[in-house]
Amino acid sequence: MTPTSPPAVPSTAPLADSTGDSPAARVRISGPLRRLLYCLAPATVGLYSVYGAVPGILLPLQVGALDEQHKAANLALVATLGAFAAMIAQPVAGALSDRTHSRFGRRAPWLVMCSVLGGLAMVGLALGNSLATIALAWMAAQIAYNFVQAPLTAVLPDRVPSAARGRFASVIGGATMIGALAGSGVASQFSDHLSTGYLAFAGLALIGVTVLVVLSPDTSSLGLPREPFRLLELLRSFWISPRRHPDFAWAFLSRLLLYTGYFTVFGYMLYLLQDYVGMSEDKAADMTPLVSVAGLPAILVSIAVCGPLSDRIGRRKPFVFASSVLVAAGLVIPWMVPSVTGVMLCSVVSGLGFGAFQAVDTALMSEVLPSSESAAKDLGVVNIAATLPQTVAPAVAGAIVVGVGYAGLFPVAAVLSVLGACAVFPIKGVK
């Protein structure tokens, strides 16, 4: 592979230079940078199709087939174990990636190797015939795919100038949502062939990563300084002090709250349609992807508009705040209108907000990292705020359902989203 990508830029680079030129005018996306943009899309779609298909459709169907009566509690257990594995894997993967020396760069070896390992874990899920084997296989899959996600996320601060990150974040955000929603939609077609579904999504993730590594190779990392490996120092580095890095802490909290609120509802959609709206199991499985599709145009429009616009005006926080409030507004609709119509409206309204959040929050996070030297590790820490809610949301939802019933999901989710909006106000380093 030929090292053709642009040089890495510090993750703390300002949105505009000292001349006062607009950010959008300073950086033209062409040549190797454009190729990187195009190649990030299939890699992101492939990875997030796994996240959309497995915890949202395939895993609930598989767990429900084992024990219909206790499916909510069993799914909560499996999701919690997977979330714990993801929480540990993300920052560890980032730290190891930051220290990797290879002629293919720091990220490529982990992207390819762990996509293969994730595929093997999906084979384990396909063969799982007990709650224990399913839980173990899902934990293995979470570890492997989080070892893919950490270096993949680090590509943005590694190789993209700060003034272009809003546009890149729009493409990444769009690919994230397309992957997750397409994963959910396609997965429903495998409701009678779960094993085939697991294998199909594993293959899609591997293909997407291969496209990125082969067509947009990174520069060699062989010449980078080799830091001595000290286990205690590595473990200490996973703690990023909120007092020393308050902007990072507030941005982390904002993402954590918003994602938890959103996926508390949407990560539990199959069971909501069955037991809250009152649909049969087959109809609910068919309707789940349609709910996602209903919100897709809104998500894509808001992603396409908000990322470039935030680059042009040089501001991130107003977009993050407004999008979080809009998500909250959408999440309360099924609470007031407990029907398919209410769920569809929820998907559209919250989709507008979530798309805008995806487009801008990724750029914001890349600008509050403590150091460009440890970008993958730091992003691994912050990605806990994105991946943990997606996997733990069924556990949170299960606890709420057991305690107060399905109607309790919506106000709790909305409050979490509003709190996430408020958390961006104290950030000082980004406008």
Side-chain angles (χ1 to χ4, degrees):
M1 290 181 282
T2 305
T4 58
S5 45
V9 293
S11 62
T12 53
L15 282 173
D17 61 13
S18 58
T19 66
D21 293 339
S22 69
R26 285 185 58 238
V27 178
R28 181 182 179 186
I29 299 177
S30 61
L33 194 60
R34 178 181 293 175
R35 185 163 58 249
L36 174 63
L37 181 66
Y38 291 159
C39 292
L40 277 171
T44 305
V45 168
L47 176 62
Y48 280 88
S49 69
V50 174
Y51 292 146
V54 178
I57 299 292
L58 300 180
L59 202 59
L61 289 174
Q62 190 175 21
V63 170
L66 291 176
D67 185 352
E68 174 69 23
Q69 184 177 357
H70 301 99
K71 63 183 182 182
N74 288 341
L75 181 61
L77 174 62
V78 173
T80 300
L81 292 174
F84 180 75
M87 182 176 62
I88 295 175
Q90 273 273 353
V92 172
L96 294 176
S97 174
D98 286 332
R99 293 169 173 265
T100 297
H101 293 78
S102 83
R103 68 188 184 94
F104 303 118
R106 295 184 291 175
R107 316 304 180 192
W110 295 100
L111 290 172
V112 175
M113 177 179 64
C114 293
S115 293
V116 173
L117 294 176
L120 294 176
M122 295 280 269
V123 172
L125 276 170
L127 299 175
N129 56 8
S130 70
L131 191 64
T133 57
I134 291 171
L136 289 173
W138 179 230
M139 289 175 68
Q142 283 280 48
I143 292 170
Y145 285 119
N146 277 277
F147 263 75
V148 174
Q149 186 176 346
L152 180 63
T153 307
V155 171
L156 184 69
D158 275 358
R159 300 169 62 181
V160 180
S162 179
R165 290 183 194 168
R167 285 163 283 170
F168 266 75
S170 284
V171 172
I172 294 170
T176 297
M177 296 309 301
I178 290 172
L181 295 175
S184 175
V186 175
S188 67
Q189 305 306 307
F190 293 103
S191 58
D192 295 326
H193 306 281
L194 297 180
S195 297
T196 304
Y198 282 125
L199 300 181
F201 288 105
L204 185 61
L206 180 58
I207 291 171
V209 163
T210 302
V211 168
L212 172 63
V213 170
V214 172
L215 298 185
S216 181
D218 199 358
T219 55
S220 170
S221 60
L222 291 175
L224 295 177
R226 291 183 178 271
E227 297 182 16
F229 180 82
R230 297 185 178 93
L231 180 60
L232 288 179
E233 289 186 11
L234 178 63
L235 294 176
R236 290 193 194 102
S237 72
F238 294 145
W239 169 250
I240 299 175
S241 171
R243 186 171 63 179
R244 292 179 57 194
H245 305 287
D247 285 355
F248 181 88
W250 284 114
F252 180 96
L253 181 61
S254 173
R255 178 182 285 194
L256 180 68
L257 291 169
L258 186 281
Y259 271 65
T260 302
Y262 184 85
F263 286 102
T264 292
V265 171
F266 282 89
Y268 218 64
M269 186 57 65
L270 180 66
Y271 292 169
L272 276 171
L273 290 172
Q274 288 179 18
D275 301 329
Y276 180 68
V277 176
M279 303 182 73
S280 68
E281 181 177 325
D282 290 342
K283 289 184 178 180
D286 292 337
M287 181 58 67
T288 299
L290 296 180
V291 172
S292 300
V293 170
L296 183 58
I299 290 172
L300 295 180
V301 168
S302 60
I303 285 175
V305 171
C306 293
L309 185 59
S310 74
D311 274 350
R312 184 168 297 277
I313 68 176
R315 298 179 71 86
R316 312 291 193 201
K317 287 164 59 176
F319 290 93
V320 174
F321 175 80
S323 62
S324 300
V325 172
L326 192 57
V327 169
L331 291 175
V332 299
I333 293 176
W335 190 30
M336 298 180 290
V337 186
S339 65
V340 172
T341 300
V343 171
M344 289 292 190
L345 288 173
C346 168
S347 180
V348 174
V349 175
S350 61
L352 279 171
F354 196 72
F357 185 90
Q358 284 274 45
V360 181
D361 182 66
T362 301
L364 184 149
M365 291 303 317
S366 74
E367 291 158 10
V368 297
L369 297 180
S371 170
S372 61
E373 299 290 324
S374 57
K377 184 268 294 178
D378 295 337
L379 284 169
V381 172
V382 81
N383 275 341
I384 294 173
T387 57
L388 184 60
Q390 296 179 55
T391 51
V392 79
V396 174
I400 295 171
V401 170
V402 170
V404 298
Y406 285 95
L409 293 177
F410 307 106
V412 171
V415 168
L416 290 172
S417 299
V418 171
L419 291 175
C422 296
V424 300
F425 283 129
I427 296 175
K428 297 179 179 178
V430 179
K431 292 182 179 180

